[in-house]
Amino acid sequence: MKEELIKRFGAKNVSNYKRIDDTLEILQVTVNLKSPVVLWVTNGLSNYKMPVYEKYLGREYNELFFCLPSYWELNEVDNPNRQWPVLWLEKLANHVRNKNLWFGPGHTVLCNKDYSSLSEIMKPNHLMLVEPILLKQELEPINCDDKTINFLGVLPIYSDEMDYKQAKGTKKLLDKFHLKKVDEKLDDFRETVLKSRWKLR
């Protein structure tokens, strides 16, 4: 998979960031958009074939990624406000493999049992997996080793957004994100896309 990313983005833009175990690592990928972003993306999760339902055949192999904004200092390895994405990539990958589960678009995770925020700066308290939005063209599925590898972005969301998703469905929430120009790029300053009081209709 790493070789395929190098073909897309160039060798100088793809590097090893952290080794998780013998079969899983995290890559750092620079994507030169109009406003460049950096990805932390798993490499090796797609060695695990996820047990999908019949309607999701073709989505058995996935890699997860966080899209980091240009203002983040990526070398602050001791800063919990900057390193939590790495910890969550490791946690999500281990969870799905160890429990023999699968991840797909719209799947959500509660970050802390007490509903506390992801970090002092990143206020959302859930994570939702989404198909690439900002990086739709750049992260089209990869075909290698006789399988199709899909990419899932990890997007922080608020409790009210989670409640809205459960009540209205993933598509309705994504429509709200689209209207507010929210995508998978992390934003420490993003507020909820919902009004303080939204009604279910």
Side-chain angles (χ1 to χ4, degrees):
M1 205 274 293
K2 181 179 179 181
E3 289 72 19
E4 294 298 322
L5 291 178
I6 289 174
K7 289 179 183 178
R8 288 190 183 185
F9 303 110
K12 68 177 183 179
N13 292 323
V14 180
S15 60
N16 299 331
Y17 185 78
K18 182 180 180 181
R19 169 65 61 177
I20 304 301
D21 55 39
D22 290 340
T23 62
L24 182 69
E25 65 180 343
I26 295 174
L27 301 176
Q28 182 167 300
V29 180
T30 299
V31 183
N32 292 312
L33 304 177
K34 184 175 181 180
S35 178
V37 296
V38 171
L39 311 181
W40 281 338
V41 55
T42 58
N43 180 31
L45 180 59
S46 57
N47 293 327
Y48 163 64
K49 184 178 181 179
M50 297 185 181
V52 302
Y53 297 111
E54 184 175 356
K55 66 180 291 187
Y56 294 106
L57 290 176
R59 300 202 65 104
E60 297 92 339
Y61 303 100
N62 292 291
E63 299 288 355
L64 306 177
F65 73 93
F66 278 99
C67 180
L68 313 177
S70 58
Y71 60 84
W72 272 34
E73 293 294 335
L74 303 183
N75 296 323
E76 295 180 348
V77 295
D78 296 322
N79 184 350
N81 291 317
R82 293 292 177 258
Q83 290 300 307
W84 62 264
V86 171
L87 299 177
W88 270 103
L89 285 177
E90 180 177 359
K91 188 179 297 187
L92 290 169
N94 286 336
H95 177 72
V96 75
R97 294 184 301 174
N98 294 339
K99 299 293 185 179
N100 195 33
L101 301 174
W102 82 284
F103 284 147
H107 284 182
T108 50
V109 176
L110 173 65
C111 299
N112 299 294
K113 291 182 179 180
D114 62 356
Y115 287 80
S116 57
S117 301
L118 275 160
S119 75
E120 292 180 357
I121 297 175
M122 183 63 67
K123 297 305 181 183
N125 53 16
H126 289 75
L127 295 172
M128 183 170 79
L129 302 182
V130 296
E131 294 182 296
I133 304 169
L134 175 67
L135 299 168
K136 182 177 181 180
Q137 294 182 339
E138 290 78 7
L139 290 182
E140 290 183 346
I142 285 176
N143 295 307
C144 67
D145 298 330
D146 297 323
K147 60 188 177 186
T148 299
I149 300 173
N150 296 279
F151 293 96
L152 289 172
V154 190
L155 171 63
I157 65 173
Y158 289 92
S159 289
D160 62 344
E161 293 170 338
M162 176 65 183
D163 293 342
Y164 186 88
K165 172 186 172 295
Q166 289 183 311
K168 293 282 196 173
T170 299
K171 184 180 183 304
K172 291 287 188 180
L173 179 58
L174 290 175
D175 288 343
K176 292 282 188 182
F177 287 154
H178 178 72
L179 288 173
K180 296 292 185 177
K181 298 183 179 180
V182 172
D183 52 43
E184 70 269 30
K185 182 168 70 173
L186 298 184
D187 182 354
D188 291 322
F189 310 102
R190 182 177 84 81
E191 298 180 352
T192 175
V193 298
L194 302 170
K195 296 180 180 179
S196 59
R197 290 187 177 183
W198 53 272
K199 297 180 180 180
L200 301 179
R201 294 179 180 176

PDB file of all heavy atoms in Angstrom, residues 175-200:
ATOM      1  N   ASP A 175     -25.206  16.014   4.972  1.00  0.00           N
ATOM      2  CA  ASP A 175     -25.774  17.169   4.269  1.00  0.00           C
ATOM      3  C   ASP A 175     -25.544  18.449   5.074  1.00  0.00           C
ATOM      4  O   ASP A 175     -25.230  19.502   4.507  1.00  0.00           O
ATOM      5  CB  ASP A 175     -27.269  16.973   4.025  1.00  0.00           C
ATOM      6  CG  ASP A 175     -27.564  15.924   2.966  1.00  0.00           C
ATOM      7  OD1 ASP A 175     -26.645  15.580   2.195  1.00  0.00           O
ATOM      8  OD2 ASP A 175     -28.713  15.435   2.914  1.00  0.00           O
ATOM      9  N   LYS A 176     -25.703  18.353   6.387  1.00  0.00           N
ATOM     10  CA  LYS A 176     -25.435  19.507   7.254  1.00  0.00           C
ATOM     11  C   LYS A 176     -23.966  19.915   7.154  1.00  0.00           C
ATOM     12  O   LYS A 176     -23.638  21.106   7.079  1.00  0.00           O
ATOM     13  CB  LYS A 176     -25.778  19.161   8.704  1.00  0.00           C
ATOM     14  CG  LYS A 176     -27.248  18.955   8.999  1.00  0.00           C
ATOM     15  CD  LYS A 176     -27.967  20.279   9.118  1.00  0.00           C
ATOM     16  CE  LYS A 176     -29.401  20.080   9.603  1.00  0.00           C
ATOM     17  NZ  LYS A 176     -30.144  21.377   9.672  1.00  0.00           N
ATOM     18  N   PHE A 177     -23.081  18.919   7.177  1.00  0.00           N
ATOM     19  CA  PHE A 177     -21.651  19.213   7.043  1.00  0.00           C
ATOM     20  C   PHE A 177     -21.357  19.909   5.714  1.00  0.00           C
ATOM     21  O   PHE A 177     -20.576  20.859   5.651  1.00  0.00           O
ATOM     22  CB  PHE A 177     -20.827  17.921   7.147  1.00  0.00           C
ATOM     23  CG  PHE A 177     -20.752  17.351   8.537  1.00  0.00           C
ATOM     24  CD1 PHE A 177     -20.537  16.001   8.730  1.00  0.00           C
ATOM     25  CD2 PHE A 177     -20.885  18.145   9.660  1.00  0.00           C
ATOM     26  CE1 PHE A 177     -20.449  15.456  10.007  1.00  0.00           C
ATOM     27  CE2 PHE A 177     -20.808  17.625  10.937  1.00  0.00           C
ATOM     28  CZ  PHE A 177     -20.588  16.278  11.113  1.00  0.00           C
ATOM     29  N   HIS A 178     -21.993  19.423   4.658  1.00  0.00           N
ATOM     30  CA  HIS A 178     -21.764  20.005   3.334  1.00  0.00           C
ATOM     31  C   HIS A 178     -22.183  21.481   3.312  1.00  0.00           C
ATOM     32  O   HIS A 178     -21.455  22.332   2.779  1.00  0.00           O
ATOM     33  CB  HIS A 178     -22.540  19.216   2.281  1.00  0.00           C
ATOM     34  CG  HIS A 178     -22.419  19.765   0.893  1.00  0.00           C
ATOM     35  ND1 HIS A 178     -21.259  19.673   0.142  1.00  0.00           N
ATOM     36  CD2 HIS A 178     -23.311  20.445   0.115  1.00  0.00           C
ATOM     37  CE1 HIS A 178     -21.435  20.254  -1.019  1.00  0.00           C
ATOM     38  NE2 HIS A 178     -22.671  20.735  -1.068  1.00  0.00           N
ATOM     39  N   LEU A 179     -23.329  21.786   3.906  1.00  0.00           N
ATOM     40  CA  LEU A 179     -23.812  23.159   3.925  1.00  0.00           C
ATOM     41  C   LEU A 179     -22.864  24.071   4.694  1.00  0.00           C
ATOM     42  O   LEU A 179     -22.700  25.247   4.351  1.00  0.00           O
ATOM     43  CB  LEU A 179     -25.211  23.213   4.551  1.00  0.00           C
ATOM     44  CG  LEU A 179     -26.357  22.651   3.700  1.00  0.00           C
ATOM     45  CD1 LEU A 179     -27.643  22.621   4.497  1.00  0.00           C
ATOM     46  CD2 LEU A 179     -26.534  23.478   2.430  1.00  0.00           C
ATOM     47  N   LYS A 180     -22.246  23.531   5.745  1.00  0.00           N
ATOM     48  CA  LYS A 180     -21.334  24.322   6.580  1.00  0.00           C
ATOM     49  C   LYS A 180     -19.869  24.182   6.130  1.00  0.00           C
ATOM     50  O   LYS A 180     -18.967  24.675   6.800  1.00  0.00           O
ATOM     51  CB  LYS A 180     -21.465  23.882   8.040  1.00  0.00           C
ATOM     52  CG  LYS A 180     -22.829  24.139   8.658  1.00  0.00           C
ATOM     53  CD  LYS A 180     -23.093  25.636   8.814  1.00  0.00           C
ATOM     54  CE  LYS A 180     -24.418  25.870   9.546  1.00  0.00           C
ATOM     55  NZ  LYS A 180     -24.668  27.313   9.769  1.00  0.00           N
ATOM     56  N   LYS A 181     -19.664  23.477   5.020  1.00  0.00           N
ATOM     57  CA  LYS A 181     -18.325  23.270   4.463  1.00  0.00           C
ATOM     58  C   LYS A 181     -17.390  22.554   5.454  1.00  0.00           C
ATOM     59  O   LYS A 181     -16.214  22.899   5.587  1.00  0.00           O
ATOM     60  CB  LYS A 181     -17.717  24.595   4.013  1.00  0.00           C
ATOM     61  CG  LYS A 181     -18.521  25.258   2.899  1.00  0.00           C
ATOM     62  CD  LYS A 181     -17.871  26.541   2.422  1.00  0.00           C
ATOM     63  CE  LYS A 181     -18.681  27.171   1.289  1.00  0.00           C
ATOM     64  NZ  LYS A 181     -18.093  28.436   0.787  1.00  0.00           N
ATOM     65  N   VAL A 182     -17.940  21.567   6.122  1.00  0.00           N
ATOM     66  CA  VAL A 182     -17.160  20.730   7.040  1.00  0.00           C
ATOM     67  C   VAL A 182     -16.711  19.484   6.288  1.00  0.00           C
ATOM     68  O   VAL A 182     -17.514  18.838   5.610  1.00  0.00           O
ATOM     69  CB  VAL A 182     -17.994  20.331   8.275  1.00  0.00           C
ATOM     70  CG1 VAL A 182     -17.246  19.309   9.133  1.00  0.00           C
ATOM     71  CG2 VAL A 182     -18.334  21.564   9.098  1.00  0.00           C
ATOM     72  N   ASP A 183     -15.435  19.161   6.384  1.00  0.00           N
ATOM     73  CA  ASP A 183     -14.923  17.936   5.776  1.00  0.00           C
ATOM     74  C   ASP A 183     -14.030  17.223   6.779  1.00  0.00           C
ATOM     75  O   ASP A 183     -14.074  17.528   7.980  1.00  0.00           O
ATOM     76  CB  ASP A 183     -14.182  18.240   4.468  1.00  0.00           C
ATOM     77  CG  ASP A 183     -13.112  19.312   4.634  1.00  0.00           C
ATOM     78  OD1 ASP A 183     -12.368  19.254   5.642  1.00  0.00           O
ATOM     79  OD2 ASP A 183     -13.000  20.202   3.769  1.00  0.00           O
ATOM     80  N   GLU A 184     -13.230  16.269   6.307  1.00  0.00           N
ATOM     81  CA  GLU A 184     -12.443  15.446   7.223  1.00  0.00           C
ATOM     82  C   GLU A 184     -11.202  16.132   7.785  1.00  0.00           C
ATOM     83  O   GLU A 184     -10.545  15.588   8.679  1.00  0.00           O
ATOM     84  CB  GLU A 184     -12.042  14.123   6.550  1.00  0.00           C
ATOM     85  CG  GLU A 184     -11.026  14.242   5.434  1.00  0.00           C
ATOM     86  CD  GLU A 184     -11.644  14.426   4.063  1.00  0.00           C
ATOM     87  OE1 GLU A 184     -12.742  15.014   3.981  1.00  0.00           O
ATOM     88  OE2 GLU A 184     -11.033  13.977   3.072  1.00  0.00           O
ATOM     89  N   LYS A 185     -10.880  17.331   7.308  1.00  0.00           N
ATOM     90  CA  LYS A 185      -9.713  18.035   7.856  1.00  0.00           C
ATOM     91  C   LYS A 185     -10.008  18.498   9.273  1.00  0.00           C
ATOM     92  O   LYS A 185     -11.026  19.139   9.531  1.00  0.00           O
ATOM     93  CB  LYS A 185      -9.342  19.226   6.971  1.00  0.00           C
ATOM     94  CG  LYS A 185      -8.098  19.969   7.460  1.00  0.00           C
ATOM     95  CD  LYS A 185      -7.584  20.946   6.441  1.00  0.00           C
ATOM     96  CE  LYS A 185      -8.486  22.125   6.278  1.00  0.00           C
ATOM     97  NZ  LYS A 185      -7.908  23.169   5.403  1.00  0.00           N
ATOM     98  N   LEU A 186      -9.118  18.176  10.202  1.00  0.00           N
ATOM     99  CA  LEU A 186      -9.315  18.545  11.594  1.00  0.00           C
ATOM    100  C   LEU A 186      -9.342  20.062  11.737  1.00  0.00           C
ATOM    101  O   LEU A 186      -8.599  20.783  11.074  1.00  0.00           O
ATOM    102  CB  LEU A 186      -8.209  17.960  12.468  1.00  0.00           C
ATOM    103  CG  LEU A 186      -8.111  16.434  12.510  1.00  0.00           C
ATOM    104  CD1 LEU A 186      -7.024  16.002  13.491  1.00  0.00           C
ATOM    105  CD2 LEU A 186      -9.445  15.803  12.888  1.00  0.00           C
ATOM    106  N   ASP A 187     -10.216  20.531  12.625  1.00  0.00           N
ATOM    107  CA  ASP A 187     -10.367  21.959  12.847  1.00  0.00           C
ATOM    108  C   ASP A 187     -10.594  22.180  14.339  1.00  0.00           C
ATOM    109  O   ASP A 187     -11.669  21.875  14.867  1.00  0.00           O
ATOM    110  CB  ASP A 187     -11.544  22.488  12.028  1.00  0.00           C
ATOM    111  CG  ASP A 187     -11.743  23.991  12.166  1.00  0.00           C
ATOM    112  OD1 ASP A 187     -11.034  24.611  12.983  1.00  0.00           O
ATOM    113  OD2 ASP A 187     -12.602  24.539  11.464  1.00  0.00           O
ATOM    114  N   ASP A 188      -9.591  22.702  15.021  1.00  0.00           N
ATOM    115  CA  ASP A 188      -9.695  22.938  16.459  1.00  0.00           C
ATOM    116  C   ASP A 188     -10.778  23.956  16.802  1.00  0.00           C
ATOM    117  O   ASP A 188     -11.213  24.030  17.953  1.00  0.00           O
ATOM    118  CB  ASP A 188      -8.358  23.463  17.010  1.00  0.00           C
ATOM    119  CG  ASP A 188      -7.266  22.413  16.987  1.00  0.00           C
ATOM    120  OD1 ASP A 188      -7.569  21.250  17.257  1.00  0.00           O
ATOM    121  OD2 ASP A 188      -6.111  22.758  16.691  1.00  0.00           O
ATOM    122  N   PHE A 189     -11.201  24.741  15.821  1.00  0.00           N
ATOM    123  CA  PHE A 189     -12.114  25.846  16.088  1.00  0.00           C
ATOM    124  C   PHE A 189     -13.535  25.583  15.584  1.00  0.00           C
ATOM    125  O   PHE A 189     -14.398  26.455  15.689  1.00  0.00           O
ATOM    126  CB  PHE A 189     -11.562  27.121  15.441  1.00  0.00           C
ATOM    127  CG  PHE A 189     -10.120  27.378  15.781  1.00  0.00           C
ATOM    128  CD1 PHE A 189      -9.104  27.089  14.871  1.00  0.00           C
ATOM    129  CD2 PHE A 189      -9.759  27.863  17.028  1.00  0.00           C
ATOM    130  CE1 PHE A 189      -7.778  27.306  15.190  1.00  0.00           C
ATOM    131  CE2 PHE A 189      -8.433  28.082  17.352  1.00  0.00           C
ATOM    132  CZ  PHE A 189      -7.442  27.798  16.435  1.00  0.00           C
ATOM    133  N   ARG A 190     -13.776  24.395  15.060  1.00  0.00           N
ATOM    134  CA  ARG A 190     -15.107  24.095  14.512  1.00  0.00           C
ATOM    135  C   ARG A 190     -16.143  24.006  15.617  1.00  0.00           C
ATOM    136  O   ARG A 190     -15.916  23.417  16.664  1.00  0.00           O
ATOM    137  CB  ARG A 190     -15.077  22.772  13.732  1.00  0.00           C
ATOM    138  CG  ARG A 190     -16.425  22.446  13.092  1.00  0.00           C
ATOM    139  CD  ARG A 190     -16.381  21.181  12.273  1.00  0.00           C
ATOM    140  NE  ARG A 190     -16.562  19.965  13.035  1.00  0.00           N
ATOM    141  CZ  ARG A 190     -17.742  19.485  13.418  1.00  0.00           C
ATOM    142  NH1 ARG A 190     -18.866  20.149  13.160  1.00  0.00           N
ATOM    143  NH2 ARG A 190     -17.810  18.337  14.080  1.00  0.00           N
ATOM    144  N   GLU A 191     -17.290  24.588  15.370  1.00  0.00           N
ATOM    145  CA  GLU A 191     -18.430  24.466  16.268  1.00  0.00           C
ATOM    146  C   GLU A 191     -19.428  23.478  15.676  1.00  0.00           C
ATOM    147  O   GLU A 191     -19.334  23.103  14.499  1.00  0.00           O
ATOM    148  CB  GLU A 191     -19.083  25.830  16.493  1.00  0.00           C
ATOM    149  CG  GLU A 191     -18.160  26.848  17.155  1.00  0.00           C
ATOM    150  CD  GLU A 191     -18.833  28.187  17.365  1.00  0.00           C
ATOM    151  OE1 GLU A 191     -19.973  28.383  16.865  1.00  0.00           O
ATOM    152  OE2 GLU A 191     -18.225  29.049  18.019  1.00  0.00           O
ATOM    153  N   THR A 192     -20.387  23.064  16.459  1.00  0.00           N
ATOM    154  CA  THR A 192     -21.406  22.149  15.961  1.00  0.00           C
ATOM    155  C   THR A 192     -22.144  22.761  14.773  1.00  0.00           C
ATOM    156  O   THR A 192     -22.332  23.986  14.711  1.00  0.00           O
ATOM    157  CB  THR A 192     -22.412  21.776  17.062  1.00  0.00           C
ATOM    158  OG1 THR A 192     -23.467  20.964  16.496  1.00  0.00           O
ATOM    159  CG2 THR A 192     -23.020  23.002  17.695  1.00  0.00           C
ATOM    160  N   VAL A 193     -22.544  21.924  13.828  1.00  0.00           N
ATOM    161  CA  VAL A 193     -23.283  22.414  12.659  1.00  0.00           C
ATOM    162  C   VAL A 193     -24.770  22.570  12.959  1.00  0.00           C
ATOM    163  O   VAL A 193     -25.533  23.020  12.113  1.00  0.00           O
ATOM    164  CB  VAL A 193     -23.108  21.459  11.449  1.00  0.00           C
ATOM    165  CG1 VAL A 193     -21.652  21.372  11.033  1.00  0.00           C
ATOM    166  CG2 VAL A 193     -23.661  20.054  11.762  1.00  0.00           C
ATOM    167  N   LEU A 194     -25.166  22.217  14.178  1.00  0.00           N
ATOM    168  CA  LEU A 194     -26.574  22.257  14.545  1.00  0.00           C
ATOM    169  C   LEU A 194     -26.871  23.461  15.424  1.00  0.00           C
ATOM    170  O   LEU A 194     -26.016  23.925  16.185  1.00  0.00           O
ATOM    171  CB  LEU A 194     -26.972  20.975  15.283  1.00  0.00           C
ATOM    172  CG  LEU A 194     -26.740  19.677  14.501  1.00  0.00           C
ATOM    173  CD1 LEU A 194     -26.932  18.482  15.409  1.00  0.00           C
ATOM    174  CD2 LEU A 194     -27.674  19.602  13.307  1.00  0.00           C
ATOM    175  N   LYS A 195     -28.080  23.942  15.342  1.00  0.00           N
ATOM    176  CA  LYS A 195     -28.520  24.991  16.240  1.00  0.00           C
ATOM    177  C   LYS A 195     -28.674  24.404  17.639  1.00  0.00           C
ATOM    178  O   LYS A 195     -28.769  23.200  17.816  1.00  0.00           O
ATOM    179  CB  LYS A 195     -29.841  25.589  15.755  1.00  0.00           C
ATOM    180  CG  LYS A 195     -29.734  26.295  14.405  1.00  0.00           C
ATOM    181  CD  LYS A 195     -31.074  26.869  13.978  1.00  0.00           C
ATOM    182  CE  LYS A 195     -30.958  27.581  12.633  1.00  0.00           C
ATOM    183  NZ  LYS A 195     -32.258  28.118  12.179  1.00  0.00           N
ATOM    184  N   SER A 196     -28.702  25.266  18.630  1.00  0.00           N
ATOM    185  CA  SER A 196     -28.766  24.787  20.011  1.00  0.00           C
ATOM    186  C   SER A 196     -30.005  23.946  20.271  1.00  0.00           C
ATOM    187  O   SER A 196     -29.986  23.033  21.094  1.00  0.00           O
ATOM    188  CB  SER A 196     -28.730  25.970  20.979  1.00  0.00           C
ATOM    189  OG  SER A 196     -29.818  26.848  20.728  1.00  0.00           O
ATOM    190  N   ARG A 197     -31.071  24.240  19.548  1.00  0.00           N
ATOM    191  CA  ARG A 197     -32.285  23.429  19.672  1.00  0.00           C
ATOM    192  C   ARG A 197     -32.733  23.027  18.267  1.00  0.00           C
ATOM    193  O   ARG A 197     -33.228  23.845  17.511  1.00  0.00           O
ATOM    194  CB  ARG A 197     -33.409  24.205  20.355  1.00  0.00           C
ATOM    195  CG  ARG A 197     -33.160  24.447  21.832  1.00  0.00           C
ATOM    196  CD  ARG A 197     -34.377  25.055  22.471  1.00  0.00           C
ATOM    197  NE  ARG A 197     -34.212  25.231  23.903  1.00  0.00           N
ATOM    198  CZ  ARG A 197     -35.151  25.692  24.707  1.00  0.00           C
ATOM    199  NH1 ARG A 197     -36.343  26.056  24.204  1.00  0.00           N
ATOM    200  NH2 ARG A 197     -34.937  25.824  25.993  1.00  0.00           N
ATOM    201  N   TRP A 198     -32.520  21.768  17.954  1.00  0.00           N
ATOM    202  CA  TRP A 198     -33.000  21.276  16.664  1.00  0.00           C
ATOM    203  C   TRP A 198     -34.172  20.344  16.903  1.00  0.00           C
ATOM    204  O   TRP A 198     -34.239  19.668  17.905  1.00  0.00           O
ATOM    205  CB  TRP A 198     -31.879  20.590  15.880  1.00  0.00           C
ATOM    206  CG  TRP A 198     -31.157  19.505  16.622  1.00  0.00           C
ATOM    207  CD1 TRP A 198     -30.081  19.637  17.441  1.00  0.00           C
ATOM    208  CD2 TRP A 198     -31.466  18.108  16.632  1.00  0.00           C
ATOM    209  NE1 TRP A 198     -29.690  18.438  17.950  1.00  0.00           N
ATOM    210  CE2 TRP A 198     -30.535  17.478  17.466  1.00  0.00           C
ATOM    211  CE3 TRP A 198     -32.459  17.333  16.014  1.00  0.00           C
ATOM    212  CZ2 TRP A 198     -30.538  16.110  17.708  1.00  0.00           C
ATOM    213  CZ3 TRP A 198     -32.463  15.977  16.244  1.00  0.00           C
ATOM    214  CH2 TRP A 198     -31.503  15.382  17.082  1.00  0.00           C
ATOM    215  N   LYS A 199     -35.098  20.348  15.985  1.00  0.00           N
ATOM    216  CA  LYS A 199     -36.309  19.545  16.134  1.00  0.00           C
ATOM    217  C   LYS A 199     -36.286  18.389  15.156  1.00  0.00           C
ATOM    218  O   LYS A 199     -35.894  18.524  14.027  1.00  0.00           O
ATOM    219  CB  LYS A 199     -37.549  20.418  15.878  1.00  0.00           C
ATOM    220  CG  LYS A 199     -37.699  21.553  16.885  1.00  0.00           C
ATOM    221  CD  LYS A 199     -38.942  22.373  16.591  1.00  0.00           C
ATOM    222  CE  LYS A 199     -39.100  23.513  17.581  1.00  0.00           C
ATOM    223  NZ  LYS A 199     -40.309  24.307  17.287  1.00  0.00           N
ATOM    224  N   LEU A 200     -36.763  17.253  15.640  1.00  0.00           N
ATOM    225  CA  LEU A 200     -36.901  16.078  14.787  1.00  0.00           C
ATOM    226  C   LEU A 200     -38.244  16.158  14.088  1.00  0.00           C
ATOM    227  O   LEU A 200     -39.293  16.265  14.734  1.00  0.00           O
ATOM    228  CB  LEU A 200     -36.817  14.795  15.618  1.00  0.00           C
ATOM    229  CG  LEU A 200     -35.524  14.596  16.415  1.00  0.00           C
ATOM    230  CD1 LEU A 200     -35.597  13.291  17.197  1.00  0.00           C
ATOM    231  CD2 LEU A 200     -34.328  14.603  15.507  1.00  0.00           C
TER     232      LEU A 200
END
